[in-house]
Amino acid sequence: MPNPRKAIFPGSFDPFTVGHESIVTRGLEVFDEIVVAVGVNSDKRCLFTAQQRVDFIKAVFADEPRVSVKTYDGLTVDFARQLGCGHIIRGLRTSADFEFERAIAQVNRQMTGIDTVFLLTTPEHTPVNSTIVRDILRHGGDASLFIPERIRELVKCAES
């Protein structure tokens, strides 16, 4: 039986941004427990390994026992069901995000009964996305405004 107070927040998180951090922090106002689920897709060219991404996110939430971090592959709803999560959390930046996520949420609900909860990004985080941050990092730029403070040093170490 899924726990309605436990949610999964899935993504590739390559890298985990201040926008992601905000969604998790705000999600804790709604849910008792959040599993940040790092998706592993062998076809995707990631900047950081799955283990590095897990370590980064664990560092961000080291002082928050209600947040755990796990990796998975396959369907998010299957993993959510396996963990006993009653909800999926998704952050929305734009109306295009909503249209894309709405279709997935409706199929997930029809398949499993698991609902998706959408949290709008805060205005200051609307332009922040992992693709842009990854590009900044790949080209040696300063992405410190877009990465949670606790992982800035870890990213610097990973780049060395």
Side-chain angles (χ1 to χ4, degrees), residues 75-142:
L75 294 177
T76 299
V77 288
D78 289 342
F79 191 56
R81 214 175 3 196
Q82 177 186 334
L83 296 174
C85 295
H87 294 86
I88 297 170
I89 299 173
R90 297 300 294 159
L92 299 177
R93 293 183 324 262
T94 66
S95 59
D97 285 351
F98 172 74
E99 289 302 324
F100 177 75
E101 295 291 346
R102 178 185 55 81
I104 294 169
Q106 288 173 328
V107 169
N108 286 345
R109 174 109 170 75
Q110 192 171 16
M111 287 174 51
T112 65
I114 295 174
D115 271 319
T116 300
V117 173
F118 297 117
L119 294 177
L120 300 177
T121 57
T122 56
E124 66 272 17
H125 295 141
T126 298
V128 179
N129 71 57
S130 290
T131 302
I132 292 171
V133 175
R134 189 169 49 247
D135 200 40
I136 292 168
L137 291 170
R138 266 200 183 109
H139 292 92
D142 180 7

Side-chain angles (χ1 to χ4, degrees), residues 38-79:
V38 177
V40 178
N41 180 346
S42 58
D43 295 333
K44 191 172 182 181
R45 186 173 157 245
C46 292
L47 182 59
F48 299 104
T49 67
Q51 188 58 56
Q52 286 173 314
R53 290 178 275 154
V54 166
D55 292 344
F56 293 162
I57 300 164
K58 282 183 176 180
V60 172
F61 296 103
D63 299 326
E64 179 49 75
R66 299 178 302 151
V67 175
S68 61
V69 186
K70 300 183 182 302
T71 60
Y72 78 103
D73 61 7
L75 294 177
T76 299
V77 288
D78 289 342
F79 191 56

